[in-house]
């Protein structure tokens, strides 16, 4: 290119690097100049690094990974908190990386400055950590290809834009917002899809130089080819979109000095040596554009796998723009991370079969990218309590995890009942442990144990003798007999034993049926008319506490 072009490019670079101190010196971006100018080998679009071989029984279930180290990235924009759709895309990247001994990278794409949400970046990283899918490289963990936040990588994008302008693949666009709006309105009036008319493509070099010298605001646009190079997507198969025929040249660098998604993700994926891009299917049609950018930049593109989207029941995409329910909300409600991961994989695809109760280790070994289907899936949140119940039971049955649950219940109890708790023993580790084991098939969250239905576990009910008499005139006799049974049970204090004994007592009564005996006992022990079986209630409370409550009911 001519010296004019070099001059223009330098102007852009200095403007961009100087803009509000947002750009960094290239020294802050590891190995930038060396890698950027060292054209990475062009391996037939780089798409043969992963191939479908349906006969091979490989770890990944029919997909052979060869040559390059597997490096995948989850690249959300911190324009909102993480939702379940984003979590599933992150998870599939994580599963793929773990299956192939690769690296899982978290990159924050914060170039849309107008939509940044304070706290979102931290929320995303913390949520991934909470879910057990901790990135190997990220802003907080670091890594050799950092920084992992796009606003700290501006010099890379401006240099790429410069290189594209120099090679004639990009050009300055001086069109005003007003003109672009008019183009849009006119297209809509004619019933056409709005598109840029590529006017600035044809500006004479002198005109461009004059505009730049006058400091006219400008963006940089990429010159799209008419020809559509098809590519093989791991989910959608061979795909091609004649982007140049249907779209105007896209902006790659905005006039605020920030790149658009198209340039930034291409440059970063290449510089971070990303081998596979697993991202939402909404990017499928943009991929031909991205491949044109790779070609123009002489960079090796990754292999693509576009993932079907998770949808709301009304068919819309789960998206931060709609303020969909964030993961932090489910977390606050007591959802377990493994239950959420299990739910979002169950309502999608990527596995030979679906079943409830898969943990992360099993998800890694059973994930099969060749099983991902192209159609989107509706998220069925009504199933979450059942998924949570199954996973909570698994935690309760695991000694180490159950210890943590006991502590959680203890904290919740202290917070909920503060000074109402009369008996310190309800905060005892073994007492809570017993309650958890007794209720593990019935509760979806440990928070359920704090609901009024379970208050009897922590607080003594106040039941009057009169209430019991109203249920049965034999109530005194019944309660005395039961206390006798408890005293003589010699360690055989199980729900089954107690139920058998209660039946025997009922048989000896003249006026009270077995069912009424149960109702009477439930009321005396819990102050409630419904709840778990009486045998279970008695075992949960323990012999001493049951006797104490029964005795009190006789005296009340
Ligand atoms: N509903 C969804 N289902 C599956 N993947 C999704 C969904 N929404 C986003 N993703 C994917 O998650 C990754 C991060 O997405 P991003 O942070 O842009 O979220 P988003 O909800 O699409 O944001 P926005 O609403 O701001 O566009 C991208 O690869 C994106 O394709």
């Amino acid at each position: 290119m001519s010296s004019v072009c070099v001059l223009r490019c330098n102007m852009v670079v200095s403007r961009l690097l100087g803009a509000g101190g947002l750009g960094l010196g290239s020294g802050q971006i590891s190995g930038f100049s060396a890698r950027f100018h060292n054209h990475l080998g062009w391996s037939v679009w780089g798409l043969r690094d992963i191939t479908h071989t349906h006969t091979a029984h490989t770890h990944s279930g029919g997909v052979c990974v060869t040559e390059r180290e597997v490096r995948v990235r989850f690249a959300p924009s911190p324009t909102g908190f993480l939702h379940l759709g984003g979590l599933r895309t992150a998870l599939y990247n994580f599963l793929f990386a773990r299956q192939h001994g690769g690296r899982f990278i978290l990159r924050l794409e914060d170039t849309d400055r107008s939509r940044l949400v304070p706290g979102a970046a931290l929320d995303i990283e913390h949520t991934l950590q909470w879910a057990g899918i901790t990135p190997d490289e990220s802003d907080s963990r670091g890594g050799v290809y950092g920084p992992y936040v796009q606003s700290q990588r501006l010099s890379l994008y401006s240099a790429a834009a410069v290189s594209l302008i120099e090679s004639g693949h990009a050009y300055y666009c001086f069109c005003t917002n007003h003109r672009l709006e008019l183009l849009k309105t006119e297209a809509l009036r004619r019933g056409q899809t709005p598109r840029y008319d590529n006017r600035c493509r044809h500006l004479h070099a002198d005109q461009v130089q004059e505009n730049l010298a006058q400091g006219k605001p400008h963006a940089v646009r990429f010159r799209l080819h008419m020809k559509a190079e098809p590519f093989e997507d791991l989910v959608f198969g061979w795909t091609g979109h004649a982007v140049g025929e249907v779209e105007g040249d896209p902006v790659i660098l905005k006039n605020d000095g920030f790149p658009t998604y198209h340039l930034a993700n291409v440059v970063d994926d290449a510089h971070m040596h990303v081998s596979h891009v697993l991202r939402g299917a909404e990017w499928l049609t943009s991929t031909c554009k991205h491949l044109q950018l790779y070609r123009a930049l002489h960079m090796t593109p990754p292999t693509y796998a576009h993932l079907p989207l998770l949808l709301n029941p009304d068919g819309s995409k789960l998206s931060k723009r709609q303020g969909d329910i964030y993961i932090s909300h489910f977390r606050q409600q007591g959802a377990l991370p493994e239950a959420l991961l299990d739910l979002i994989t169950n309502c999608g695809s990527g596995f030979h079969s679906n079943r409830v109760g898969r943990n992360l280790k099993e998800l890694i070994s059973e994930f099969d990218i060749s099983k991902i289907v192209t159609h989107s899936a509706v998220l069925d949140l009504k199933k979450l309590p059942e998924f949570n119940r199954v996973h909570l039971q698994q935690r309760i049955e695991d000694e180490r995890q159950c210890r943590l649950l006991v502590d959680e219940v203890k904290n919740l109890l202290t917070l909920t009942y503060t000074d109402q708790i009369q008996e310190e023993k309800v905060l005892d580790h073994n007492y809570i442990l017993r309650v958890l084991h007794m209720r593990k098939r019935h509760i979806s969250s440990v928070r359920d144990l704090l609901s009024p239905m379970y208050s009897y576990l922590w607080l003594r009910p106040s039941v009057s003798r009169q209430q019991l008499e109203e249920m049965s005139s034999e109530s005194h006799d019944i309660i005395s007999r039961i206390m006798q049974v408890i005293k003589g049970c010699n360690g055989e204090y199980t729900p089954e034993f107690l139920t058998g004994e209660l039946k025997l007592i009922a048989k000896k009564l003249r006026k009270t049926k077995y069912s009424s005996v149960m109702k009477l006992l439930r009321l005396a022990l819990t102050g409630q008319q419904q709840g778990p079986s009486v045998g279970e209630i008695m075992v949960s409370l323990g012999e001493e506490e049951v006797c104490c409550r029964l005795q009190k009911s006789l005296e009340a």
Side-chain angles (χ1 to χ4, degrees):
M1 289 295 285
S2 68
S3 57
V4 172
C5 204
V6 173
L7 170 72
R8 284 184 220 138
C9 300
N10 287 343
M11 285 173 70
V12 171
V13 173
S14 58
R15 187 173 70 79
L16 293 175
L17 294 183
L22 287 165
L24 286 178
S26 58
Q28 283 170 271
I29 293 168
S30 53
F32 158 64
S33 53
R35 272 194 304 280
F36 190 76
H37 295 294
N38 172 14
H39 297 157
L40 306 167
W42 191 254
S43 63
V44 204
W45 291 99
L47 293 174
R48 299 270 41 91
D49 295 327
I50 186 162
T51 51
H52 286 278
T53 54
H54 292 283
T55 49
H57 294 283
T58 61
H59 188 47
S60 52
V63 175
C64 276
V65 178
T66 57
E67 292 175 34
R68 295 170 78 177
E69 180 197 12
V70 167
R71 291 178 56 79
V72 296
R73 90 304 194 264
F74 175 55
S77 50
T79 50
F81 301 97
L82 196 60
H83 56 68
L84 287 170
L87 182 70
R88 201 189 61 173
T89 293
L91 174 66
Y92 280 11
N93 274 283
F94 176 86
L95 298 179
F96 190 74
R98 286 292 171 274
Q99 260 189 356
H100 299 292
R103 309 275 294 168
F104 172 54
I105 302 160
L106 171 66
R107 185 175 75 221
L108 294 171
E109 304 207 330
D110 60 343
T111 55
D112 188 349
R113 309 303 288 173
S114 61
R115 290 179 55 224
L116 292 186
V117 169
L122 261 187
D123 168 82
I124 292 169
E125 188 149 10
H126 286 166
T127 305
L128 293 181
Q129 224 162 329
W130 171 77
I133 52 177
T134 308
D136 302 308
E137 296 171 29
S138 71
D139 187 36
S140 69
R141 294 181 79 86
V144 284
Y145 300 111
Y148 292 87
V149 181
Q150 285 188 330
S151 58
Q152 295 169 25
R153 301 170 64 83
L154 296 184
S155 56
L156 276 179
Y157 316 126
S158 51
V162 165
S163 132
L164 289 169
I165 292 171
E166 280 179 345
S167 60
H169 288 100
Y171 59 89
Y172 294 101
C173 173
F174 299 95
C175 290
T176 59
N177 282 342
H178 178 65
R179 175 169 193 274
L180 298 175
E181 274 307 312
L182 282 180
L183 276 181
K184 199 168 154 187
T185 316
E186 183 55 19
L188 292 174
R189 195 184 60 77
R190 288 206 219 121
Q192 293 168 349
T193 310
R195 58 186 276 189
Y196 179 57
D197 59 359
N198 298 349
R199 182 166 93 159
C200 290
R201 247 195 201 202
H202 313 291
L203 284 182
H204 192 271
D206 296 339
Q207 235 176 318
V208 172
Q209 209 184 4
E210 198 184 313
N211 286 348
L212 290 173
Q214 286 171 7
K216 277 200 180 166
H218 54 268
V220 177
R221 286 187 187 267
F222 180 66
R223 199 182 283 264
L224 283 178
H225 287 291
M226 286 312 214
K227 213 172 124 220
E229 290 264 8
F231 68 98
E232 192 176 10
D233 186 89
L234 290 181
V235 175
F236 284 78
W238 281 99
T239 307
H241 294 99
V243 273
E245 281 175 25
V246 292
E247 292 182 29
D249 290 338
V251 170
I252 52 172
L253 208 60
K254 295 176 281 185
N255 65 12
D256 62 1
F258 279 81
T260 56
Y261 175 80
H262 305 300
L263 181 67
N265 96 92
V266 161
V267 168
D268 283 345
D269 285 343
H271 280 275
M272 291 181 174
H273 294 263
V274 168
S275 62
H276 297 82
V277 167
L278 278 64
R279 63 183 176 190
E282 78 269 32
W283 296 111
L284 186 67
T285 50
S286 299
T287 305
C288 285
K289 203 182 304 179
H290 299 163
L291 290 172
Q292 288 192 20
L293 272 163
Y294 277 107
R295 188 178 278 282
L297 287 164
H298 301 281
M299 288 171 162
T300 305
T303 299
Y304 287 97
H306 285 89
L307 307 173
L309 297 176
L310 267 192
L311 305 179
N312 293 304
D314 67 359
S316 62
K317 170 181 174 281
L318 256 74
S319 159
K320 290 179 295 213
R321 289 171 206 250
Q322 296 167 317
D324 286 296
I325 310 168
Y326 300 122
I327 288 153
S328 45
H329 162 83
F330 296 108
R331 190 179 170 178
Q332 279 156 19
Q333 301 298 309
L336 297 173
E338 59 269 34
L340 281 178
L341 297 183
D342 198 10
L343 175 75
I344 55 181
T345 49
N346 256 272
C347 64
S349 52
F351 297 85
H352 287 271
S353 60
N354 273 348
R355 63 187 170 85
V356 185
R358 263 190 291 232
N359 60 28
L360 193 54
K361 212 165 145 203
E362 290 162 331
L363 288 176
I364 294 170
S365 66
E366 293 178 32
F367 178 64
D368 181 349
I369 200 167
S370 72
K371 294 284 170 202
I372 298 180
V373 298
T374 55
H375 57 79
S376 306
V378 174
L379 178 65
D380 188 355
L381 280 175
K382 287 199 289 301
K383 290 182 182 161
L384 183 56
E386 175 57 7
F387 276 75
N388 224 49
R389 188 191 64 74
V390 171
H391 284 278
L392 180 61
Q393 186 176 343
Q394 288 182 7
R395 279 200 184 196
I396 293 171
E397 283 163 1
D398 178 287
E399 208 182 320
R400 192 187 59 81
Q401 300 213 56
C402 193
R403 230 176 288 135
L404 300 174
L405 289 175
V406 170
D407 290 342
E408 193 182 336
V409 174
K410 212 189 270 191
N411 286 339
L412 288 169
L413 279 174
T414 322
L415 283 174
T416 314
Y417 291 112
T418 39
D419 43 2
Q420 292 179 65
I421 290 181
Q422 304 129 346
E423 288 297 311
E424 279 294 310
K425 64 184 177 203
V426 299
L427 297 174
D428 182 66
H429 180 91
N430 287 334
Y431 178 74
I432 299 174
L433 187 71
R434 187 167 69 225
V435 168
L436 283 170
H437 275 280
M438 295 304 293
R439 283 281 87 198
K440 66 188 175 191
R441 288 185 187 80
H442 306 276
I443 51 170
S444 313
S445 158
V446 289
R447 276 149 218 261
D448 291 353
L449 295 173
L450 277 301
S451 67
M453 156 183 188
Y454 290 115
S455 61
Y456 70 89
L457 288 166
W458 324 111
L459 307 174
R460 282 186 183 147
S462 78
V463 183
S464 68
R465 174 107 186 249
Q466 195 191 337
Q467 277 176 286
L468 300 178
E469 287 291 326
E470 278 168 16
M471 295 187 88
S472 165
S473 55
E474 294 173 302
S475 64
H476 193 283
D477 184 26
I478 295 168
I479 287 173
S480 306
R481 283 172 190 254
I482 290 164
M483 287 171 69
Q484 288 299 318
V485 166
I486 295 171
K487 280 175 191 148
C489 74
N490 285 333
E492 228 191 314
Y493 193 72
T494 62
E496 298 73 32
F497 170 78
L498 291 167
T499 309
E501 290 297 311
L502 290 172
K503 277 186 183 153
L504 288 178
I505 290 173
K507 270 190 192 160
K508 290 180 197 151
L509 298 169
R510 278 181 296 121
K511 298 185 199 150
T512 319
K513 288 188 295 185
Y514 173 69
S515 59
S516 302
V517 172
M518 293 304 191
K519 279 185 194 158
L520 179 89
L521 268 179
R522 177 173 282 116
L523 185 69
L525 293 173
T526 69
Q528 295 172 14
Q529 289 172 357
Q530 279 170 344
S533 75
V534 172
E536 187 195 313
I537 291 170
M538 291 173 77
V539 173
S540 295
L541 291 172
E543 294 154 77
E544 201 187 314
E545 179 63 18
V546 169
C547 284
C548 176
R549 290 187 185 192
L550 293 179
Q551 184 62 43
K552 275 185 183 275
S553 71
L554 290 180
E555 295 161 4

